[in-house]
Amino acid sequence: MRVIIVGAGVLGTMHAWQAVSRGHEVVHLEREAAARGASVRNFGLVWVSGRSTGPELDTALRARELWEEIGKEVPDLGFRASGSLTPVTTDHEHAVAREALDAPEAPLRDLHFLDPDQVREVNPALRGEMLGALWCRRDAQVEPRTAQRALQDTLARSGRYTLLTEREIRELPRTGTVRDDHGDLHEGDHVVLCTGAQLGGLVRELAPDLPVRRVRLQMMQTAPLETTLTTSVADADSFRYYPAYRGPGLDTLNTHQPQPETARDHAMQLLMVQRADGSLTIGDTHEYEHPFAFDTDEAPYDHLTGVAEGLLGRPLPSIRRRWAGVYTQCTDPGTLVHRAPVADGAWLITGPGGRGMTCSPAIAETTANDLGW
């Protein structure tokens, strides 16, 4: 079987991984010189802790298994089973963490609560004042700026994978076939479109009424921190963002401890991850009203800096990079990803939202199973 995959971000690349690993040939088309969208503008988190109970958590857990398996085969992914810590600083935040620990699925997430001394044993870089932290040992991370390239380099060594960049699709003239903007025809058995936030052009013609929205975020990266951040780190505002924490405790938190104005206006949480070079990736904001601004707002960066420094108990290293990114998210919060046929032999897969990096291996595995690869 020959599979044509459009889009070389993490979702498209994981579909290529599934096809090649099952013995098929892949032609992979990317409109840019390399992936430049949300797949490289994220934290690289394999985030199990906050996923909603049910299919989303099941998918995240399966993806976590797949990331670890693939990471053994592709060391340059930088897979690290680092876990995460979410420090709490007030009684209301502590109550939300305790509810999460009491939930039936807490063992699946491998959740524990640590007192301040235990927190510093697990992650000595966290020197700020806190009541303790929720520890999710199932969370992990990879290097987002290089993961796709590492996977693609490994796929190329199979002899059954061809990546063609700076190719934008123009037409699906017949089943399993794509014509690109160079006029080249790529013939196969199946076409899988993983075009990320690029939903115009041919994608709009094929699927004009997609049940997805675009979401914009802002993030930043520091110079290297001279100590090791042994886990990824979230703040208690992540309780407000992730569905796993919904319940009476969160309702009380929202009533009696509202978010600071900047965090509320920008739908913020803090996530902080140390990269392989020692730098810290820090974010993020969420903007849902389109069209988005073309510039970045400084107030969220000031807020993130203050929260991060409070948890670390020290000033951040200097900020070296700031950026914005856009991803697609299904408008139905109960839908993990939009997967649907758009032409004979062609499927569009989009809308995983902020779960894309976490869940892409399992999403691709489901596609491969459904299509009989």
Side-chain angles (χ1 to χ4, degrees), residues 133-183:
L134 189 64
W135 186 26
C136 179
R137 298 180 63 180
R138 198 77 72 199
D139 289 336
Q141 57 183 284
V142 296
E143 292 297 305
R145 289 177 180 255
T146 57
Q148 281 74 240
R149 187 171 67 245
L151 289 165
Q152 291 157 9
D153 288 347
T154 301
L155 288 169
R157 290 195 287 273
S158 72
R160 288 179 279 108
Y161 173 82
T162 302
L163 174 64
L164 300 174
T165 59
E166 299 181 297
R167 304 284 183 127
E168 191 164 349
I169 61 168
R170 289 287 189 255
E171 183 186 7
L172 304 181
R174 57 183 178 272
T175 300
T177 303
V178 169
R179 190 184 306 278
D180 66 27
D181 58 353
H182 292 225

Side-chain angles (χ1 to χ4, degrees), residues 39-75:
S39 294
V40 298
R41 304 187 193 195
N42 65 74
F43 297 96
L45 287 171
V46 182
W47 197 251
V48 173
S49 51
R51 303 301 170 202
S52 61
T53 303
E56 182 178 325
L57 177 58
D58 294 342
T59 302
L61 288 168
R62 175 57 181 157
R64 168 67 172 77
E65 293 176 359
L66 291 169
W67 272 118
E68 186 162 12
E69 290 174 9
I70 298 168
K72 292 175 182 176
E73 189 170 346
V74 188

Side-chain angles (χ1 to χ4, degrees), residues 226-237:
E226 67 270 15
T227 190
T228 299
L229 195 69
T230 57
T231 69
S232 56
V233 177
D235 76 339
D237 276 343

Side-chain angles (χ1 to χ4, degrees), residues 100-121:
L101 286 166
D102 291 339
E105 67 277 5
L108 294 175
R109 305 178 198 271
D110 204 354
L111 288 180
H112 309 269
F113 192 82
L114 306 181
D115 66 30
D117 289 339
Q118 292 170 321
V119 169
R120 293 179 180 99
E121 288 178 13

Side-chain angles (χ1 to χ4, degrees), residues 294-336:
F294 62 83
D295 46 8
T296 57
D297 191 333
E298 196 64 20
Y301 291 118
D302 292 340
H303 173 80
L304 290 169
T305 297
V307 175
E309 290 182 343
L311 296 177
L312 292 170
R314 51 154 293 164
L316 281 178
S318 61
I319 306 302
R320 289 191 172 175
R321 300 185 181 96
R322 306 176 193 269
W323 67 90
V326 177
Y327 59 73
T328 57
Q329 179 185 66
C330 291
T331 51
D332 177 1
T335 302
L336 176 66

